Amino acid sequence: MRLAEFLLGLGRSDEAYAHWMRAARLVEQRHLSDRESFRIRALFLHDVWAYAEAAKVIADWAADFPNDYLPYFYLASCQKHLGRPDDALDSLNIAYSKAPGNPHVLLNRAQLHLEQGRPRPAKADLDSVHELNPWRSQYAAEYHFVMGEYEAAWNCFDRLANAAPEWRSKSFSLKACLLFECGQDQSAMRLLRAGIAYDSARERLAPN
């Protein structure tokens, strides 16, 4: 299952879904009823966009494991995709109450606040995450952009560029978007071309 999540994060969706299907068959064969069983089924449904069905599995998960924050964490994502941001916020608040200080909950709640036009509570959640995390840098950049703090947003993109090769790749387009918004179209185009060159070089160096 974790291999499937990793492959999905790399954009290799066909391979990821093949691993998901193998995991799902294993669950059926063994009739598992533990947390891992719920998680496999819920995340598979979530990742094939069956959000309502995933939410039903997650509800059973939460009922069987009332002290576990993860069901509410994943439920929030389903609710957001189903167009229920207020319910998603409630679920993230419940998740946080069960796992205070959890950086994943804080970052997802910050993202939701930003999407719903609430930058100040988003900033409070971001300030509560003290570990180095590329997602924190991206959401912090979004906050600074919304607040008109473009230099601070650019600095966040610089931190992203140093996080890992895939984040460096993403940083080119994010910086270009910022430059476009600031009216620096030529500089933005140069960055996009640099990003294409970087990705092409990575592909050539990747093992076959």
Side-chain angles (χ1 to χ4, degrees), residues 43-115:
L43 290 186
F44 174 75
L45 290 167
H46 180 281
D47 287 342
V48 297
W49 308 296
Y51 301 117
E53 290 82 355
K56 293 176 183 177
V57 173
I58 292 170
D60 292 336
W61 180 3
D64 280 11
F65 298 94
N67 296 321
D68 194 347
Y69 84 95
L70 272 175
Y72 296 96
F73 177 77
Y74 291 127
L75 179 60
S77 180
C78 294
Q79 290 166 329
K80 188 170 74 168
H81 283 98
L82 290 168
R84 296 159 50 194
D86 291 341
D87 290 337
L89 180 58
D90 289 341
S91 293
L92 286 172
N93 287 338
I94 294 172
Y96 185 79
S97 72
K98 296 176 183 296
N102 184 287
H104 304 294
V105 177
L106 285 166
L107 289 172
N108 276 264
R109 193 166 65 180
Q111 180 192 28
L112 183 60
H113 282 312
L114 287 168
E115 291 173 352

Side-chain angles (χ1 to χ4, degrees), residues 1-2 27 32 34-41:
M1 187 191 71
R2 290 178 178 84
V27 169
L32 300 178
D34 59 4
R35 286 183 176 86
E36 195 70 4
S37 168
F38 282 122
R39 187 165 181 252
I40 289 171
R41 287 183 284 146

Side-chain angles (χ1 to χ4, degrees), residues 106-177:
L106 285 166
L107 289 172
N108 276 264
R109 193 166 65 180
Q111 180 192 28
L112 183 60
H113 282 312
L114 287 168
E115 291 173 352
Q116 296 299 306
R118 298 186 294 266
R120 297 199 181 281
K123 180 66 161 51
D125 279 342
L126 290 170
D127 287 345
S128 297
V129 178
H130 302 297
E131 66 180 42
L132 294 176
N133 187 308
W135 287 108
R136 185 195 183 283
S137 295
Q138 178 170 326
Y139 299 148
E142 293 178 21
Y143 165 80
H144 290 304
F145 178 80
V146 167
M147 302 302 289
E149 300 165 356
Y150 300 135
E151 183 177 353
W154 187 272
N155 291 338
C156 289
F157 292 146
D158 279 340
R159 286 194 289 275
L160 273 181
N162 294 323
E166 59 269 22
W167 283 100
R168 180 169 176 77
S169 173
K170 191 174 185 179
S171 72
F172 286 103
S173 58
L174 291 171
K175 285 181 174 180
C177 288

